[in-house]
Amino acid sequence: LAAQRRREVLETSVCIARSIEAGLMERSSAAGEALGALHRLEEQRGLVEQACVHCDQRRRAELEDLVAVWHECLWGPGASLVAQDAGLAASFCDGHRRALDLVERAISEADDMGGCGSLDTFLALNGIGGSEPKQTAARQSSLVAALYRDLEKQLRENLARLDELAALAPMGNVPGAAFCAPPAFANCPDVDGM
């Protein structure tokens, strides 16, 4: 009877051990599949990060080019043409407001990148690198934001210049003379209040 009992305990133990082994094999297989999926996801993450950085670089380059052209138009010898054409001035104002909105969002994104794991890729592809990831991440992120803050400053200066040009615009029967009226800049943000 005791031998029979031991045999049953052993057979039950073997059965339980096989069941546990089968469960472990299933979990091991599932873990292997999950690890493979994780590696594939990490590869995709890198591609997404590179695409985001490329888009940011393009956005910044386009904004820099646009602001440079606008600066030349508003501060160069052709600035009087802007002052004489209310429609053109309103277009400049609207474009500046839109660009300013994009730049402010870009600054916010760059500021938010300080706590993001993709910061190294973001900064490296933007030409800003460092060897101390934890300590320099915030500093590097602020360098990217500073590039946008410079654009923001230039846009605000151009908006102030548009106000100056409105004050200098000729009165009378000159095409675009309505530009001098206060409503011509009614849609422009208050540069000093921003």
Side-chain angles (χ1 to χ4, degrees), residues 25-60:
M25 293 294 277
E26 283 181 31
R27 287 189 181 115
S28 176
S29 176
E33 290 173 14
L35 186 59
L38 178 64
H39 289 305
R40 288 188 299 277
L41 185 59
E42 283 293 323
E43 290 170 6
Q44 294 299 314
R45 178 179 161 222
L47 294 174
V48 169
E49 287 175 357
Q50 289 177 358
C52 288
V53 169
H54 177 73
C55 288
D56 182 72
Q57 288 176 320
R58 293 298 318 139
R59 173 179 61 185
R60 193 177 69 244

Side-chain angles (χ1 to χ4, degrees), residues 60 63-65 67-68 71 99-100 103-104 106-107 142-158:
R60 193 177 69 244
L63 283 167
E64 287 170 346
D65 292 345
V67 169
H71 183 82
L100 192 58
V103 167
E104 288 171 346
I107 290 169
S142 70
L143 292 174
V144 172
L147 297 172
Y148 283 109
R149 283 191 179 90
D150 185 50
L151 284 172
E152 178 186 34
K153 179 182 176 215
Q154 292 174 43
L155 286 166
R156 291 187 190 285
E157 288 171 354
N158 284 355

Side-chain angles (χ1 to χ4, degrees), residues 71-95:
H71 183 82
E72 180 63 28
C73 290
L74 297 176
W75 296 88
S80 62
L81 297 174
V82 176
Q84 294 174 4
D85 187 338
L88 180 60
S91 294
F92 269 100
C93 181
D94 185 54

Side-chain angles (χ1 to χ4, degrees), residues 92-175:
F92 269 100
C93 181
D94 185 54
H96 275 73
R97 284 184 295 128
R98 289 177 183 208
L100 192 58
D101 182 54
L102 284 173
V103 167
E104 288 171 346
R105 282 189 275 154
I107 290 169
S108 178
E109 290 170 11
D111 286 341
D112 290 345
M113 282 303 236
C116 190
S118 62
L119 179 66
D120 293 334
T121 302
F122 176 78
L123 295 171
L125 293 175
N126 271 289
I128 302 170
S131 59
E132 304 163 14
K134 290 274 185 182
Q135 290 187 345
T136 60
R139 184 178 58 84
Q140 291 170 340
S141 178
S142 70
L143 292 174
V144 172
L147 297 172
Y148 283 109
R149 283 191 179 90
D150 185 50
L151 284 172
E152 178 186 34
K153 179 182 176 215
Q154 292 174 43
L155 286 166
R156 291 187 190 285
E157 288 171 354
N158 284 355
L159 284 168
R161 177 66 171 162
L162 280 166
D163 285 340
E164 291 173 14
L165 292 174
L168 298 174
M171 300 291 218
N173 293 331
V174 177

